[in-house]
Amino acid sequence: DGGITQSPKYLFRKEGQNVTLSCEQNLNHDAMYWYRQDPGQGLRLIYYSQIVNDFQKGDIAEGYSVSREKKESFPLTVTSAQKNPTAFYLCASSNTPDGMGGYTFGSGTRLTVV
Amino acid sequence: AQSVTQPDIHITVSEGASLELRCNYSYGATPYLFWYVQSPGQGLQLLLKYFSGDTLVQGIKGFEAEFKRSQSSFNLRKPSVHWSDAAEYFCAVGAGQAGTALIFGKGTTLSVSS
């Protein structure tokens, strides 16, 4: 079955470390998105990509970086510059650049700073 | 700028009772509107979407929503709630244009009492 795979499900980071969250899709979708979810805050957009080798900053891009070298993959790096990285991270994809068909979401990665 | 407001943070409904979750949006043109559901620790699942035509849209799991332009609302309804409907519900708005991403509300947590 097609879908989005996020790994790992749980991730622990020490202060000052960079960590990379994986997002892979086999849906042949062009557009991919990263959202951060905090309790009571809903989903906030970090980065998104409409096409390979191109991506745009979302509302809370500071302290994060992404790459889109392959259509199937859109990894998110949480850098040491992100002061409060503990959160639930969700990756999504869309079969159209405008998202009109709705998004397919992965099951998320919970990142905790220790 | 687009925005979405879900006025109710938490709602409790008795099993078998009807449900209405509120969503208000702010957008200058005709918006593209979505409702998603999230079970604890999981990704989001699309319930239904609206972008044109009949203002009453049917979704999965017996949910429906009504678009009211005059009230800038897109409320989600279900005539009879089941215990398995307990989850967090998110309303989202999109511009329906390439190069944009969905904006999500902060969510409403639904509890179902027996």
Side-chain angles (χ1 to χ4, degrees):
Chain A
D1 286 342
I4 295 184
T5 301
Q6 290 188 243
S7 63
K9 190 172 180 64
Y10 299 97
L11 185 58
F12 297 91
R13 190 194 96 168
K14 293 183 179 179
E15 296 276 356
Q17 277 185 337
N18 292 353
V19 290
T20 297
L21 284 59
S22 172
C23 178
E24 302 277 335
Q25 54 102 354
N26 60 2
L27 299 165
N28 200 34
H29 286 178
D30 285 312
M32 297 186 74
Y33 310 83
W34 275 106
Y35 286 88
R36 170 179 171 145
Q37 185 178 16
D38 297 280
Q41 294 297 313
L43 278 69
R44 293 182 290 168
L45 182 65
I46 305 173
Y47 269 99
Y48 60 106
S49 169
Q50 309 276 295
I51 196 170
V52 173
N53 292 323
D54 188 40
F55 47 83
Q56 291 77 40
K57 293 182 178 180
D59 300 319
I60 58 165
E62 185 175 352
Y64 299 97
S65 66
V66 294
S67 62
R68 188 83 187 278
E69 297 177 359
K70 298 186 301 181
K71 187 175 186 177
E72 304 79 24
S73 178
F74 191 41
L76 174 74
T77 297
V78 184
T79 74
S80 57
Q82 170 51 238
K83 299 306 179 188
N84 185 22
T86 295
F88 190 53
Y89 291 86
L90 287 162
C91 180
S93 70
S94 172
N95 62 348
T96 59
D98 56 13
M100 283 175 53
Y103 292 176
T104 300
F105 279 87
S107 56
T109 293
R110 186 166 299 280
L111 173 63
T112 304
V113 174
V114 297
Chain B
Q2 305 163 52
S3 67
V4 179
T5 302
Q6 294 181 245
D8 304 304
I9 296 173
H10 189 197
I11 285 182
T12 299
V13 175
S14 298
E15 190 168 16
S18 63
L19 168 70
E20 183 169 29
L21 301 181
R22 297 185 291 165
C23 173
N24 295 101
Y25 68 89
S26 174
Y27 185 62
T30 299
Y32 296 83
L33 295 159
F34 305 82
W35 274 100
Y36 286 85
V37 61
Q38 183 183 35
S39 298
Q42 299 297 314
L44 278 68
Q45 180 184 21
L46 179 65
L47 285 175
L48 47 80
K49 58 187 177 185
Y50 170 81
F51 35 85
S52 67
D54 192 346
T55 56
L56 184 64
V57 293
Q58 302 297 321
I60 62 172
K61 305 185 179 186
F63 285 93
E64 66 179 27
E66 186 171 13
F67 171 62
K68 293 186 177 180
R69 185 188 301 274
S70 61
Q71 299 177 17
S72 297
S73 69
F74 188 57
N75 294 349
L76 183 71
R77 302 194 295 244
K78 187 170 186 178
S80 177
V81 169
H82 188 262
W83 64 266
S84 60
D85 293 323
E88 190 160 19
Y89 292 80
F90 293 92
C91 183
V93 64
Q97 299 171 359
T100 64
L102 294 184
I103 304 297
F104 287 82
K106 294 187 177 182
T108 297
T109 299
L110 172 65
S111 297
V112 180
S113 62
S114 57

